[in-house]
Amino acid sequence: MTYKVLIVDDESDMRQLVGMYLENAGYKWAEAPDGKTALEMIKRENFDLLILDIMMPELDGISVCKELRKTSDIPVIFLTAKGEEWNRVNGLRSGGDDYIVKPFSPGELVARMEAVLRRYVKTGPKDSVSYGELVINEAGRRVELSGKTVALTVKEFDLLTFLCYHKGQVFSREQLLESVWGYDYVGGTRTVDTHIKTIRLKLGSYGSHLSTVWGVGYKFEV
């Protein structure tokens, strides 16, 4: 299967550079110079992944992702400048699945894309599983709490599902990175902490079932 990626950046040179990396790795790609154009293109065409620059004039990447998450769960990888930790955190909270810091290597970009797509594309559906008021439908990639849908990003859904299916078992951050993000993921373990925090916020009081085991990692318990 050949994946199609939309590259969104207000710098033409950056779009062409990323596009060259993707072509060499066997991906198809299209480009958008701004967030508004990107949202219009997504309505007309099917894309498997979005590479989205955070700092853009008029409609920044975080605003684009928030708007996109109203109707789509397409994976989003943010492009961010070195040192913009606030933007990276807010990017993940807005619905992004990962981020990559400029400048980056072709290998790092492709590795992150493969990790996101590997978890997004499912090989086969599973039945719904209930944990009290929490219902996980893996086939439909849907989470409901007390009858209401909880909007999760791809990685948030995968992380929650993994912990729920192994309820009561404690996993270190490194184990969660390997199981959910993939063994070739090049980011740090703080990514796990950020996603756990966001999932807890979205689950409200039920988020307390995602327990921190100090000095070890995390577990899901009912």
Side-chain angles (χ1 to χ4, degrees), residues 32-154:
D34 55 67
K36 183 178 179 181
T37 302
L39 291 173
E40 292 173 351
M41 290 178 66
I42 291 170
K43 291 178 181 178
R44 301 193 306 264
E45 304 176 51
N46 292 322
F47 295 99
D48 299 295
L49 186 141
L50 186 65
I51 296 179
L52 180 61
D53 186 35
I54 288 183
M55 297 300 292
M56 294 187 295
E58 297 186 23
L59 195 62
D60 61 75
I62 292 176
S63 299
V64 172
C65 190
K66 287 181 178 179
E67 184 65 26
L68 181 65
R69 284 293 172 255
K70 295 178 182 179
T71 58
S72 173
D73 64 350
I74 177 178
V76 173
I77 295 179
F78 281 110
L79 298 181
T80 179
K82 185 177 181 180
E84 294 179 345
E85 182 177 359
W86 181 87
N87 278 332
R88 295 198 293 271
V89 171
N90 279 276
L92 294 174
R93 288 176 175 171
S94 72
D97 300 284
D98 200 358
Y99 64 85
I100 187 168
V101 179
K102 303 175 184 177
F104 49 84
S105 68
E108 181 183 5
L109 174 62
V110 173
R112 288 180 182 273
M113 289 172 52
E114 289 176 347
V116 169
L117 288 168
R118 183 169 55 247
R119 300 304 169 184
Y120 180 74
V121 180
K122 294 296 179 178
T123 57
K126 296 182 180 181
D127 295 333
S128 295
V129 180
S130 300
Y131 303 93
E133 295 296 314
L134 183 68
V135 179
I136 297 176
N137 184 314
E138 190 169 6
R141 296 189 65 82
R142 184 174 67 254
V143 173
E144 294 182 357
L145 183 61
S146 301
K148 296 182 179 179
T149 300
V150 180
L152 298 180
T153 67
V154 174

